[in-house]
Amino acid sequence: IATGPDGLWVIDQHVAHERILFEQVLRQMASGEVERQQLLIPLVLELTPSQSVELDRIRRELDQPGFEVEQYGPRAIAIKSAPAALGAAEVEQVVFEILEISEKELRQSSYEDLRKEMAASIACRAAIKINTPLDKQRMEWMLRTLAACEFPMSCPHGRPIALRYPTR
């Protein structure tokens, strides 16, 4: 909660941090300077036939946000590296979210749309969670960084970041 000359602001810290991370991941992808983390032990995932087909079509695109994926059997893959913003527990979830994009949806959208979806998934999983206490310094950092974002009023999925209650 914050106050200003125009009233009271209620800010969703998860959604705000998601917007910040989303724009950061997109910038890193565009510049080719994505921060990656090598996994100590590769994460092996079993895929369904449709996920395998989807992976074959988007394998190159997975490299842009920081995933290093190699085949590990007929329908298994090994994730060797992942975006640095993700915790180890989120890597599997994000990969499956990316692969779950329906074939129809992918065919109707561009690879640019796919990149945005990947960035949104990474940002959502890596963002500060609801009810995580933040100290004043972290809150101020988040508000300053959010203010510098290109679209500071909504998350990548369109949810509002803040609600303003006017002084009146």
Side-chain angles (χ1 to χ4, degrees), residues 51-125:
Q51 289 170 332
S52 293
V53 169
E54 195 74 18
L55 176 71
D56 288 341
R57 285 195 298 150
I58 66 169
R59 187 178 300 270
R60 283 191 206 170
E61 297 302 316
L62 282 172
D63 188 57
Q64 282 196 331
F67 291 102
E68 182 184 349
V69 179
E70 70 179 36
Q71 204 64 39
Y72 192 74
R75 283 203 327 247
I77 58 171
I79 311 293
K80 297 176 81 176
S81 68
L86 291 176
E90 286 95 17
V91 172
E92 182 176 350
Q93 288 178 309
V94 170
V95 169
F96 281 128
E97 280 178 15
I98 291 167
L99 293 176
E100 289 302 317
I101 297 171
S102 71
E103 185 176 334
K104 179 182 175 191
E105 191 174 322
L106 182 59
R107 289 194 186 278
Q108 290 180 350
S109 57
S110 67
Y111 281 114
E112 182 62 30
D113 292 336
L114 176 62
R115 287 182 202 108
K116 286 180 181 176
E117 288 293 327
M118 288 190 291
S121 259
I122 292 165
C124 184
R125 296 291 175 197

Side-chain angles (χ1 to χ4, degrees), residues 121-161:
S121 259
I122 292 165
C124 184
R125 296 291 175 197
I128 294 168
K129 304 303 179 225
I130 294 171
N131 295 326
T132 300
L134 301 178
D135 61 22
K136 186 176 179 182
Q137 181 180 0
R138 182 79 169 161
M139 287 181 219
E140 289 172 350
W141 167 84
M142 190 175 300
L143 291 174
R144 276 192 316 277
T145 309
L146 181 63
C149 284
E150 190 174 347
F151 298 103
M153 295 309 289
S154 66
C155 81
H157 304 104
R159 291 186 314 260
I161 290 173

